[in-house]
Amino acid sequence: QVQLVESGGGLVQAGGSLRLSCAASGSIFSISTMGWYRQAPGKQRELVALITSRGNTNYADSVKGRITISRDNAKNTIYLQMNSLKPEDTAVYYCNADVSIRYGQWDDYWGQGTQVTVSS
């Protein structure tokens, strides 16, 4: 069993900053790519940022230059540092991870989500 728990969401004014965290726990053998997705009301879930086990990153065009994804492999944790936040960033942010619980077996896991609200 694997659990992903997000934290750090909240209410912030436009132009402000937040740092989201996602900690993976449970019967983990290995973790590959991890990422952040978000879903605004009435919209599809979209990719925000990805980070591979080697530290390579990818960002949605809408957040490039404002958001940084990072990971601490020793803690099985990823972070999303968000600066210069805009009302358009308001959404539920979900953590995602490719996790192996034993050799040769990989599955995709999701956290429960954390709400980010950016006021104008």
Side-chain angles (χ1 to χ4, degrees), residues 3-9 19-24 35-37 45 77-78 92-97 109-116:
Q3 300 84 38
L4 302 179
V5 179
E6 302 103 330
S7 62
R19 191 175 83 147
L20 307 183
S21 299
C22 171
W36 289 96
Y37 294 73
R45 187 171 299 186
T77 299
I78 61 168
V92 177
Y93 284 70
Y94 296 92
C95 179
N96 175 266
Y109 292 86
W110 291 89
Q112 80 290 341
T114 184
Q115 177 71 48
V116 171

Side-chain angles (χ1 to χ4, degrees), residues 9-84:
L11 175 64
V12 64
Q13 293 184 333
S17 299
L18 284 174
R19 191 175 83 147
L20 307 183
S21 299
C22 171
S25 62
S27 56
I28 298 172
F29 176 73
S30 184
I31 302 178
S32 184
T33 301
M34 299 184 74
W36 289 96
Y37 294 73
R38 67 186 182 187
Q39 188 167 21
K43 296 186 177 181
Q44 293 288 123
R45 187 171 299 186
E46 65 175 353
L47 172 69
V48 178
L50 290 174
I51 184 165
T52 71
S53 59
R54 297 182 182 273
N56 300 120
T57 59
N58 289 290
Y59 297 94
D61 288 340
S62 61
V63 303
K64 286 181 179 178
R66 301 189 296 118
I67 293 181
T68 301
I69 188 171
S70 61
R71 68 191 290 166
D72 184 339
N73 290 329
K75 297 181 179 180
N76 288 332
T77 299
I78 61 168
Y79 306 92
L80 192 71
Q81 179 66 50
M82 303 189 293
N83 301 318
S84 301

